[in-house]
Amino acid sequence: MPVLSPTTLARAALILALLMTGGASVAFGQSGLTNAAGFDSCKFDKMERIENHGTFKGAVACTQGDTEVFADQLEYWTDTRLVVLTGSVTLRDKSAQISADRAEFNTETKLGTFHNASGFAMVADEPTSSLD
């Protein structure tokens, strides 16, 4: 796989940060759980929640709009807006995919980090003005 440039990694981080903001949701009948983590919907094998901390475990698959994220485990903290994905992490949308061992994101600041990551992104030419 090709090595991603810092610009492409920043774009992928922004996509995942956007993925983790807003949206009403229901996860396996648990109203508000995926919303607390910032997704439209999530599927997982097991869920734990204690006060401001939640964990989705086992074949985690979450969506926000056209973007999907997959991991073995997703943890979130509602007080700090931190989301941590671990184990076979993959972020995929129409034009990019990034895979990592671990990803950490703050859904409020929209900043995050992929650890041991690789991926690809389609880069379009800059649009030209019809007035030129």
Side-chain angles (χ1 to χ4, degrees), residues 99-110:
S99 297
D101 292 337
R102 178 182 173 96
E104 303 160 357
F105 291 91
N106 181 302
T107 60
E108 186 174 351
T109 65
K110 299 181 174 75

Side-chain angles (χ1 to χ4, degrees), residues 1-4 117-120:
M1 281 203 162
V3 176
L4 295 176
S118 63
F120 65 89

Side-chain angles (χ1 to χ4, degrees), residues 4-17:
L4 295 176
S5 71
T7 302
T8 302
L9 287 173
R11 182 178 181 274
L14 177 61
I15 291 168
L16 189 54

Side-chain angles (χ1 to χ4, degrees), residues 113-128:
T113 304
F114 288 93
H115 299 272
N116 195 26
S118 63
F120 65 89
M122 296 168 70
V123 181
D125 293 332
E126 289 190 33
T128 58

Side-chain angles (χ1 to χ4, degrees), residues 33-47:
L33 292 178
T34 55
N35 189 36
F39 297 97
D40 289 336
S41 65
C42 285
K43 295 180 182 179
F44 46 85
D45 295 333
K46 183 179 177 185
M47 186 276 305

Side-chain angles (χ1 to χ4, degrees), residues 44-63:
F44 46 85
D45 295 333
K46 183 179 177 185
M47 186 276 305
E48 299 171 1
R49 185 169 183 186
I50 300 172
E51 295 180 16
N52 67 334
H53 176 254
T55 304
F56 300 153
K57 295 181 179 181
V60 177
C62 298
T63 60

